[in-house]
Amino acid sequence: MAGSRLPRQLFLQGMAAVFMFAFASLYTQIPGLYGPEGILPARRTLRPQGKGRWQQLWETPTLLWEAPLLGLDTAQGLELLSLLGTLLALGALLLPQLRHLLTYLLLWAAYLSACQVGQVFLYFQWDSLLLETGFLAVLVAPLRQPPHHKQAPQGRVAGASPHEGLPFWLVRWLLFRLMFASGVVKLTSRCPAWWGLTALTYHYETQCLPTPASWFAHHLPIWLHRLCVVATFLIEIAVPPLFFAPVRRLRLAAFYSQVLLQVLIIITGNYNFFNLLTLVLTTALLDDAHLPAKLGNSRRRRTPTSWPKALLAMLSLLLELAVYGLLAYGMVHYFGLEVDWEQHTVHSKTTFTFHQFSQWLKTVTLPTMWLGAASLAWELLTAFWRWTQVQGWLQKFCAAVQLSIFGTATVALFMISLVPYSYMEPSTHGRLWTGAHRLFGAVEHLQLANSYGLFRRMTGLGGRPEVVLEGSYDGHHWTEIEFMYKPGNVSRPPPIVTPHQPRLDWQMWFAALGPHTHSPWFTSLVLRLLQGKEPVIRLIQNHASGYPFHKQPPTYVRAQRYKYWFSQPGEQGQWWRRQWVEEFFPPVSLGDPTLDMLLRQFGLQDKSPPRARSSSNTLTQALHWVRKQLSPLEAPTILWGLLLTVAGIRVMQALLGPWAPPLAREEKHRPAPREDTASKQAASAPNDSSGSQTPRRKK
């Protein structure tokens, strides 16, 4: 394996970008979701129970406990955290000096604090994934920035520590758990669409927020949909073990397959920052030799190849071809692939049973854990070898302390992750070491390790269920309340909102899958619409002109359930077709006994008014001013504006890069050190992740 210095830098930049999008997206929705007049006021979630300060902080780890000390309520504290998180992440994205352990610790702590009060609107798998990956970024980020333009002994980059590769290995392990579990649960769920290879014939129109490309993908030939399902199983189940392959080209092939899948999902669906975060995880499959070099001396010298190395290269090539052949055979054999040359199609079907797959899963789950353990052991041995190369007793002692701390943390996090990973196979879960269960239970509330399983079951097989809100002044003439992002008007094209996540629109999609009593927050939404609360209305329509009751709140509100389908090619001016199914929520008005009963049943009544806080507080006034400036802009506009700002600054940095200060130019023209015997010894290391083949850092 080549060094991982450049992939680590790319990972930290990617994490800063994802945190920036996540915080900025959440900030735009806080008043409507968590404010005093929001759907689920955040102040209800943090109520002191007479416990000690540190015990309270450990059981509910959120910095929002300290909001009253700043004269802020819980929602205002959440706004402050989101703004600071956005700015800090933006700084880390632009300034290498801010890609520090403390920076990512603050970002992780801020998002964990938000999740503690986020309730159902922050219960998505990608929120848990961001927390777990964010904590890994804390360990991957350097304790200090290494000096520039200095060459360390044995050809390593100056300031590089032996432990640096260990936390980054956990990123690869997380990517493996995410993808492998996501593929497995599609089959363990017994979903007929996945087993019948027809899932993608429904997915594009039944997913939460389709894009315009979803319409075109939906109308692709059915045989191609089925073949894409087979490819999905291949990428999510068969390819992830290659993340730990000893052959570099196999790992790179696995990398490009994952990137292809995520890019296609981004094009055909609005999944906020989730796919971007998954792409950031894939950087753990790269190495310095594959990424574009940062310096001009990146060209390798061609040296004569000895016969042992030539033999090893030949064996690696044979292993690579064998793996590709095995994957191709598995696809053909287990999914019955047959090419019909006359009709120009590919026939496919699942040739194994649920029982056979369950037995296979029971057989391979534990070996995949041992595969991860073996890969981690190799990383530990490599780190120890790098430590033996450190010169000077003081540097060696400091490196030993760091290696002990980060090595222990890496092993502990690996053990913790085995518990949620084994959820997909109950018998293996029960055989895990009890110490791992105890360790996981002690830190479970910190979400350091989570279970994953995306698109477990395909919904809407008989049509996409959709809840449509309606308002009326007299109870007879009803007007539909259209949302900005989710399907409603059949003639409106699906929007593109990535990387923003409109969390109310997402929960409306989940609410449509069952009765309204399974989504208690929906009753609170109806109440706020009857009251005409502006923060909630802004979640539905950011501009007042788009909300039909902006002059006066409706007297009555109800909800209907429809089924939606994509329109057929040739239907001009229409993207959807729909059919009424049933009443979802009965007509209610303020003071209606049905509404009051539901509010009491779900504990959503305001038993006590929010505590009045002084609006003369300077911090409160600053938050109000920022909100007033940004409120006219839609959330996707703000997020894309941040992205364009970063791109513009990066372009300016690239254009001004050659104009270095005199000291830098003098350093640049200084002759390079000669290669000595120590560097030759470093090249014979069991793992050159120490950076012996990486160029010097650019100033």
Side-chain angles (χ1 to χ4, degrees):
M1 292 176 59
S4 61
R5 182 174 61 90
L6 296 179
R8 290 200 304 270
Q9 294 177 1
L10 188 60
F11 168 74
L12 293 176
Q13 292 181 62
M15 285 304 302
V18 173
F19 268 123
M20 180 183 70
F21 291 140
F23 279 119
S25 174
L26 178 62
Y27 170 78
T28 62
Q29 305 172 78
I30 289 173
L33 295 179
Y34 305 118
E37 298 179 341
I39 299 174
L40 296 176
R43 61 185 175 85
R44 299 174 182 170
T45 61
L46 294 183
R47 293 176 177 173
Q49 300 178 352
K51 298 179 180 179
R53 184 176 183 179
W54 293 108
Q55 181 183 1
Q56 181 176 262
L57 184 61
W58 173 253
E59 293 180 356
T60 308
T62 174
L63 299 174
L64 296 174
W65 287 114
E66 310 302 324
L69 298 179
L70 301 175
L72 306 175
D73 60 28
T74 306
Q76 291 172 332
L78 187 55
E79 283 192 38
L80 180 61
L81 275 182
S82 300
L83 278 176
L84 293 179
T86 302
L87 294 176
L88 187 59
L90 177 62
L93 188 57
L94 294 174
L95 302 174
Q97 295 82 358
L98 286 180
R99 293 174 206 142
H100 186 272
L101 181 149
L102 181 60
T103 299
Y104 291 93
L105 179 61
L106 291 174
L107 291 172
W108 173 78
Y111 205 76
L112 178 64
S113 299
C115 288
Q116 296 301 311
V117 301
Q119 304 166 80
V120 68
F121 294 108
L122 274 168
Y123 281 176
F124 295 96
Q125 287 195 52
W126 35 84
D127 293 313
S128 299
L129 181 62
L130 179 55
L131 283 174
E132 184 172 350
T133 313
F135 189 78
L136 296 184
V138 176
L139 301 179
V140 172
L143 292 168
R144 61 183 177 85
Q145 293 294 335
H148 293 249
H149 293 301
K150 290 186 179 180
Q151 195 74 10
Q154 284 80 39
R156 295 193 298 112
V157 175
S161 301
H163 72 271
E164 288 182 349
L166 291 178
F168 199 50
W169 178 89
L170 287 172
V171 178
R172 194 191 318 172
W173 172 245
L174 172 57
L175 177 65
F176 169 79
R177 287 166 40 219
L178 171 68
M179 301 310 301
F180 188 72
S182 296
V184 164
V185 298
K186 292 177 175 61
L187 295 175
T188 57
S189 67
R190 300 195 183 196
C191 175
W194 286 115
W195 278 91
L197 306 181
T198 59
L200 292 184
T201 61
Y202 306 103
H203 165 73
Y204 298 112
E205 72 175 2
T206 62
Q207 60 182 321
C208 179
L209 296 177
T211 66
S214 303
W215 187 92
F216 296 96
H218 176 73
H219 292 293
L220 291 173
I222 294 179
W223 69 265
L224 186 56
H225 284 307
R226 298 172 65 92
L227 189 60
C228 288
V229 173
V230 174
T232 300
F233 286 135
L234 174 71
I235 294 174
E236 292 186 344
I237 298 179
V239 170
L242 299 182
F243 297 169
F244 309 103
V247 179
R248 177 173 173 270
R249 286 195 298 267
L250 287 176
R251 296 194 303 275
L252 293 178
F255 164 78
Y256 283 110
S257 68
Q258 303 302 318
V259 169
L260 174 64
L261 177 62
Q262 300 307 317
V263 169
L264 290 176
I265 295 176
I266 290 174
I267 293 173
T268 58
N270 288 293
Y271 289 96
N272 50 80
F273 58 81
F274 165 63
N275 302 110
L276 301 176
L277 179 55
T278 307
L279 288 173
V280 171
L281 289 175
T282 61
T283 58
L285 302 177
L286 297 174
D287 53 47
D288 290 340
H290 188 67
L291 290 176
K294 299 296 182 181
L295 297 177
N297 60 346
S298 60
R299 293 183 179 178
R300 295 183 179 181
R301 298 178 181 176
R302 291 187 174 272
T303 56
T305 304
S306 60
W307 71 266
K309 290 185 178 181
L311 178 61
L312 184 61
M314 180 60 67
L315 292 176
S316 298
L317 179 60
L318 292 177
L319 176 61
E320 185 179 357
L321 294 176
V323 169
Y324 294 148
L326 187 62
L327 292 176
Y329 170 78
M331 286 183 62
V332 174
H333 177 72
Y334 290 106
F335 294 101
L337 299 184
E338 294 182 2
V339 179
D340 189 333
W341 299 105
E342 294 182 358
Q343 299 183 3
H344 303 287
T345 62
V346 178
H347 299 292
S348 56
K349 61 179 180 179
T350 306
T351 62
F352 53 93
T353 64
F354 177 79
H355 175 73
Q356 290 173 329
F357 180 76
S358 299
Q359 292 299 316
W360 175 85
L361 183 61
K362 186 180 297 185
T363 303
V364 303
T365 302
L366 196 58
T368 57
M369 296 181 183
W370 284 112
L371 174 65
S375 179
L376 176 57
W378 178 257
E379 293 290 336
L380 289 169
L381 288 174
T382 302
F384 179 76
W385 178 86
R386 293 177 61 186
W387 173 78
T388 62
Q389 307 304 306
V390 176
Q391 302 296 324
W393 68 269
L394 182 59
Q395 291 83 349
K396 207 176 190 69
F397 174 77
C398 293
V401 172
Q402 294 179 9
L403 180 58
S404 300
I405 294 174
F406 283 89
T408 303
T410 301
V411 173
L413 286 173
F414 173 71
M415 294 297 298
I416 291 171
S417 70
L418 294 179
V419 177
Y421 171 68
S422 63
Y423 286 161
M424 62 184 181
E425 211 294 294
S427 63
T428 304
H429 179 74
R431 297 202 306 268
L432 276 182
W433 179 47
T434 56
H437 287 280
R438 288 196 299 267
L439 192 60
F440 174 75
V443 298
E444 183 177 6
H445 64 294
L446 299 178
Q447 300 191 50
L448 301 184
N450 305 280
S451 61
Y452 303 101
L454 301 165
F455 305 107
R456 186 185 303 266
R457 295 189 65 87
M458 196 54 57
T459 59
L461 300 187
R464 172 198 181 95
E466 198 68 58
V467 172
V468 176
L469 280 163
E470 297 176 341
S472 173
Y473 290 120
D474 56 10
H476 298 287
H477 302 87
W478 295 89
T479 303
E480 291 188 7
I481 299 175
E482 187 173 354
F483 283 65
M484 285 185 289
Y485 307 117
K486 81 180 194 69
N489 187 342
V490 295
S491 61
R492 190 188 67 177
I496 298 177
V497 300
T498 301
H500 172 57
Q501 181 184 1
R503 295 181 179 268
L504 177 58
D505 295 65
W506 268 87
Q507 286 299 335
M508 289 289 290
W509 181 78
F510 282 107
L513 301 178
H516 71 84
T517 53
H518 290 178
S519 304
W521 58 268
F522 190 85
T523 303
S524 182
L525 171 63
V526 171
L527 173 66
R528 296 309 189 197
L529 295 180
L530 290 169
Q531 295 172 339
K533 298 301 182 182
E534 182 184 356
V536 176
I537 293 174
R538 282 188 171 276
L539 295 176
I540 298 174
Q541 287 291 339
N542 194 61
H543 301 291
S545 59
Y547 185 67
F549 302 98
H550 63 276
K551 294 182 179 179
Q552 179 183 348
T555 307
Y556 301 93
V557 170
R558 71 180 185 184
Q560 307 286 346
R561 196 197 313 267
Y562 285 82
K563 284 193 175 181
Y564 276 65
W565 298 269
F566 271 138
S567 62
Q568 295 297 321
E571 296 183 30
Q572 298 295 329
Q574 281 197 335
W575 288 81
W576 298 96
R577 294 178 293 111
R578 75 177 187 179
Q579 178 182 345
W580 181 86
V581 178
E582 61 184 349
E583 183 179 75
F584 180 78
F585 194 91
V588 294
S589 60
L590 290 176
D592 189 288
T594 301
L595 179 61
D596 292 340
M597 183 268 295
L598 289 172
L599 291 172
R600 285 195 305 270
Q601 178 182 343
F602 299 134
L604 297 173
Q605 282 186 318
D606 287 323
K607 299 179 181 179
S608 58
R611 186 181 303 174
R613 298 190 182 275
S614 174
S615 59
S616 61
N617 185 323
T618 304
L619 190 54
T620 303
Q621 291 179 342
L623 290 173
H624 178 72
W625 182 85
V626 173
R627 175 68 62 184
K628 185 177 180 181
Q629 303 305 311
L630 296 178
S631 58
L633 301 175
E634 292 187 11
T637 303
I638 295 176
L639 269 63
W640 280 102
L642 287 171
L643 183 61
L644 291 176
T645 300
V646 172
I649 295 176
R650 285 294 181 87
V651 170
M652 293 298 296
Q653 289 175 339
L655 293 176
L656 298 177
W659 297 95
L663 185 61
R665 290 198 297 266
E666 180 183 348
E667 181 73 21
K668 181 178 180 181
H669 293 292
R670 191 173 296 171
R674 292 181 299 174
E675 184 181 27
D676 54 10
T677 56
S679 62
K680 295 180 181 179
Q681 292 175 0
S684 62
N687 186 331
D688 59 337
S689 61
S690 60
S692 58
Q693 300 297 326
T694 59
R696 294 176 296 170
R697 288 182 177 270
K698 182 178 180 181
K699 188 169 181 178

